[in-house]
Amino acid sequence: MALPSVQALAAATVVLVRDGPQGLEALMVVRHHEIDFARGAAVFPGGKVDAADRAALLRQHVPSGVHFVEDDLVLRIAAVREAFEESGLLLARRHGRLLDAAALGDLWQRWHERIAASAEAFVDMVHGEGLELALDLLQPFAHWVTPEISPKRFDTYFYIAEAPPGQVAAHDGREAVDSFWIHPHDALRDCAERRRVIIFPTLCNLALLGNSANAAQALAAAKARPVQRIQPTLGLHTDGRRIPVLPADSGYPALSAALMDLVAR
């Protein structure tokens, strides 16, 4: 008899991009090896939606000229909060200007430990520091749902945004133990050559991101592309192991044989 499916928890991830010496770069963080999901893997900053992301007080600190439906609003708030908690980058404005390195460094020093301990502290920071969350800078990028047979499931919305100029990433040392900027193709190569651990959804989204030459192209491509709900099924590898399979019309580039060999189980 089939076991009942585990409910997929709402989650949000943000793909932060910038232009580097070799073109497009994305920010990735390395998950702590002791956490309960994607341990030791390089991922985009993100995590589960928290009750604090629905706090009525935050409604005073979002762009007034842009309307978001409730679920999208909460997911965007979660994406910004998780990005700050895991990478130190904060998509927020003060007096109409995006935070610069000095302002961000001050906030990180005074708030990051409290926010890591409790998501409610993020609400306190945003309100107490008079910030406006720059939710308008987030562009929907992808929507992935964990297969029903998985013991731990997430309903994850990916957003893409250009990293605020001048801000410097600073991983929290708890959930994220490292952070780095990398070209999507280099991240795929590092995984194929077993220098990094990257899970299947992240690999696929890196491959999709790698179709763009720079940050402006990546944002424009995301804006032009309809976001499709992706829930992989399981197929068989050539050696009989199970591999994740995307819908035929997913629009994602095919991963290399070396990468598919790594995700087979």
Side-chain angles (χ1 to χ4, degrees):
M1 184 175 64
L3 295 175
S5 174
V6 176
Q7 181 180 2
L9 302 175
T13 292
V14 57
V15 182
L16 290 160
V17 295
R18 71 179 188 185
D19 291 329
Q22 306 303 318
L24 178 65
E25 294 180 338
L27 179 66
M28 302 192 75
V29 298
V30 177
R31 304 294 299 276
H32 197 286
H33 70 279
E34 293 183 352
I35 63 175
D36 62 355
F37 179 74
R39 59 185 66 187
V43 298
F44 304 119
K48 293 180 292 186
V49 170
D50 190 274
D53 300 320
R54 304 181 184 277
L57 185 59
L58 287 176
R59 303 305 191 273
Q60 303 173 23
H61 299 276
V62 301
S64 58
V66 184
H67 174 71
F68 305 105
V69 298
E70 179 65 17
D71 287 346
D72 185 36
L73 174 66
V74 171
L75 287 161
R76 287 170 185 260
I77 291 170
V80 171
R81 175 182 56 76
E82 286 284 345
F84 180 65
E85 180 180 335
E86 293 191 351
S87 76
L89 298 188
L90 182 58
L91 290 165
R93 301 181 179 96
R94 182 183 278 139
H95 307 309
R97 297 172 62 90
L98 284 172
L99 298 178
D100 59 16
L104 178 68
D106 179 57
L107 289 174
W108 178 260
Q109 290 296 325
R110 291 189 290 113
W111 287 96
H112 86 273
E113 287 193 6
R114 280 182 275 178
I115 291 172
S118 170
E120 285 79 6
F122 183 76
V123 181
D124 296 337
M125 181 189 75
V126 171
H127 184 65
E129 300 286 347
L131 303 178
E132 177 191 81
L133 298 178
L135 306 184
D136 53 305
L137 299 184
L138 293 168
Q139 176 65 41
F141 184 80
H143 177 200
W144 280 64
V145 181
T146 312
E148 292 186 1
I149 66 169
S150 301
K152 195 174 188 67
R153 303 183 64 228
F154 297 96
D155 186 346
T156 304
Y157 287 80
F158 290 75
Y159 296 90
I160 186 171
E162 188 167 5
Q167 291 193 14
V168 179
H171 50 276
D172 64 4
R174 296 179 180 177
E175 289 191 28
V177 296
D178 193 12
S179 58
F180 56 94
W181 291 95
I182 192 168
H183 190 286
H185 292 160
D186 291 340
L188 294 172
R189 183 198 62 218
D190 285 351
C191 182
E193 296 177 358
R194 305 192 178 216
R195 289 195 296 272
R196 293 194 187 278
V197 175
I198 304 179
I199 60 177
F200 181 68
T202 309
L203 289 171
C204 292
N205 283 302
L206 282 166
L208 184 61
L209 187 64
N211 286 337
S212 299
N214 54 48
Q217 285 187 16
L219 289 164
K223 186 175 182 179
R225 183 179 62 246
V227 173
Q228 181 183 164
R229 182 182 185 273
I230 301 294
Q231 184 169 329
T233 55
L234 289 178
L236 290 179
H237 196 41
T238 53
D239 60 8
R241 290 180 295 163
R242 295 183 300 172
I243 55 172
V245 177
L246 297 183
D249 61 348
S250 69
Y252 277 86
L255 297 179
S256 68
L259 289 172
M260 291 307 298
D261 184 63
L262 287 175
V263 301
R265 59 183 191 268

